[in-house]
Amino acid sequence: MASKTPIRVAVTGAAGNIGYAAIFRIASGAVFGPDQPVALNLIEVGPGLNALAGVVMELADCAFPLLTDVVATGDLDEGFRDVDWCLLIGAVPRKDGMERKDLLGINAKIFVGQGQAIGRAAKKTVKVLVVGNPCNTNALIALRSAAHLPAENFFAMTRLDENRAKSQLAAKAGAHASDVKNVGIWGNHSSTQYPDFTNATIKGRPATEVITDHAWLKESFVSDVQKRGAVVIKARGASSAASAANAALDTLRALHFPTPAGDWHSVAVLSKGDYGITPGIMFGCPIRTKADGQWEIVQGLTLDAFSREKIAITEKELLEERATAAEALGIKL
Ligand code: LMR
């Protein structure tokens, strides 16, 4: 057993498809490293609690050397007590033909109660990653509901889009996804997001030099990344699970460890006006995590007219989502 203090991670929707794909990897050390103990607080609702009991048995049956403790509960305060990280996965997933924002009416209220409970029970330094859709606006609701916690510790997941963008750029360039760097996802995890190829690099060269088919970049690439989640739903008959879990874990890792020199990663954070984006919405941005665990938005990127136009579209959608959610919940967001 390693001697460091365990990192305690709460996971909502822990027995669901994404949760099931995520928690064994957290327990194995794949996120925080091979010498970092972890404890899991697994949260479920209603019928999920039976399945959760089975998940707890399976965790025990793995005999993970790094797993120090498992709490399984339907109670939010118990679930979020003294946690270092909250992975908010539990939410109703969209079905074929829906946009993620169509879930606001069902899912938004979940994040009020969860935000409040995190504010009451979690460590004051807790970091919160929202995966349940529409994740940007749900993260804003959680943040506003946990008012005294630092806004910079709340995040919404755009890493799945970043990973999708890297794979598509790599396939087009005849490279490997790991050769593609500096991919920023701007705005909403929705069909308006802007996967920024103009600042991306492939094997250290601008993606726009490596891929000379600029019509493909501007049209097919952007549209395919925007719509990938819907295409997966059509094929699987269910929304992405393993790739969503993988992206959530990539996000935790990217926010826990310093970002390698010359690269960045994508996650949505509360806008304070960087790049002229309206403050007060959770906006996907290119981020660098610093050695002290703080993060900063990458500054000084050139955004051409095409990029600005795309960013304005996703900004407008997030402002509309914020207004819809605020009205539905009767709270100020
Ligand atoms: C995804 O991008 O695959 C997930 O957000 C699920 C969805 O609704 O598309």
Side-chain angles (χ1 to χ4, degrees):
M1 169 70 64
S3 60
K4 288 181 173 175
T5 306
I7 294 178
R8 188 170 284 278
V9 184
V11 181
T12 67
N17 288 329
I18 302 176
Y20 190 74
I23 57 184
F24 293 86
R25 290 176 65 193
I26 299 173
S28 76
V31 176
F32 298 110
D35 64 345
Q36 175 58 62
V38 290
L40 289 171
N41 284 22
L42 307 178
I43 304 173
E44 262 299 346
V45 287
L49 282 165
N50 279 341
L52 187 58
V55 172
V56 172
M57 290 179 218
E58 284 201 76
L59 280 167
D61 295 350
C62 290
F64 285 121
L66 292 169
L67 185 61
T68 60
D69 186 34
V70 179
V71 173
T73 182
D75 181 84
L76 291 179
D77 284 73
E78 187 187 2
F80 292 129
R81 183 143 307 125
D82 294 332
V83 296
D84 300 285
W85 265 105
C86 297
L87 195 46
L88 303 187
I89 295 172
V92 174
R94 69 172 163 151
K95 305 273 183 306
D96 189 18
M98 292 171 81
E99 288 292 334
R100 296 183 188 92
K101 64 186 166 195
D102 297 336
L103 296 167
L104 258 185
I106 312 170
N107 286 339
K109 53 185 175 297
I110 298 174
F111 292 86
V112 176
Q114 293 188 354
Q116 289 169 343
I118 291 167
R120 283 191 301 269
K123 286 187 180 163
K124 300 302 167 221
T125 51
V126 66
K127 291 182 178 164
V128 179
L129 174 66
V130 178
V131 174
N133 284 316
C135 62
N136 296 56
T137 301
N138 289 341
L140 181 66
I141 294 165
L143 181 166
R144 295 296 185 220
S145 304
H148 60 283
L149 293 179
E152 58 270 21
N153 286 354
F154 284 74
F155 307 92
M157 188 172 88
T158 53
R159 181 60 181 252
L160 182 50
D161 310 300
E162 177 188 326
N163 290 347
R164 289 167 171 165
K166 284 178 169 168
S167 284
Q168 300 214 10
L169 290 172
K172 182 74 175 175
H176 188 269
S178 59
D179 296 325
V180 184
K181 302 205 184 311
N182 307 105
V183 175
I185 303 295
W186 295 89
N188 203 0
H189 174 57
S190 78
S191 56
T192 66
Q193 68 177 273
Y194 173 50
D196 180 9
F197 59 84
T198 67
N199 287 293
T201 57
I202 302 175
K203 294 188 182 169
R205 289 175 59 210
T208 49
E209 276 179 30
V210 178
I211 299 171
T212 51
D213 183 352
H214 289 188
W216 178 86
L217 284 170
K218 287 183 164 172
E219 289 155 26
S220 306
F221 165 72
V222 170
S223 166
D224 287 354
V225 176
Q226 288 175 331
K227 296 189 184 131
R228 182 69 163 189
V231 173
V232 170
I233 292 171
K234 213 175 238 332
R236 258 173 49 83
S239 59
S240 62
S243 59
N246 179 66
L249 304 189
D250 280 350
T251 310
L252 296 194
R253 206 180 297 112
L255 289 167
H256 185 72
F257 293 107
T259 308
D263 203 0
W264 55 71
H265 62 97
S266 295
V267 67
V269 296
L270 188 69
S271 170
K272 291 186 175 163
D274 295 73
Y275 291 97
I277 291 148
T278 309
I281 46 179
M282 294 296 287
F283 208 84
C285 289
I287 299 288
R288 287 187 53 77
T289 305
K290 299 190 273 181
D292 62 2
Q294 304 295 303
W295 56 265
E296 60 193 359
I297 294 175
V298 177
Q299 298 296 326
L301 294 178
T302 301
L303 295 172
D304 61 12
F306 176 83
S307 301
R308 291 265 173 208
E309 190 185 310
K310 295 286 181 200
I311 287 171
I313 293 170
T314 194
E315 179 185 22
K316 180 167 173 289
E317 183 183 49
L318 278 169
L319 288 167
E320 287 165 4
E321 276 188 25
R322 181 176 70 174
T324 304
E327 193 182 335
L329 297 169
I331 59 176
K332 191 169 172 338
L333 289 173

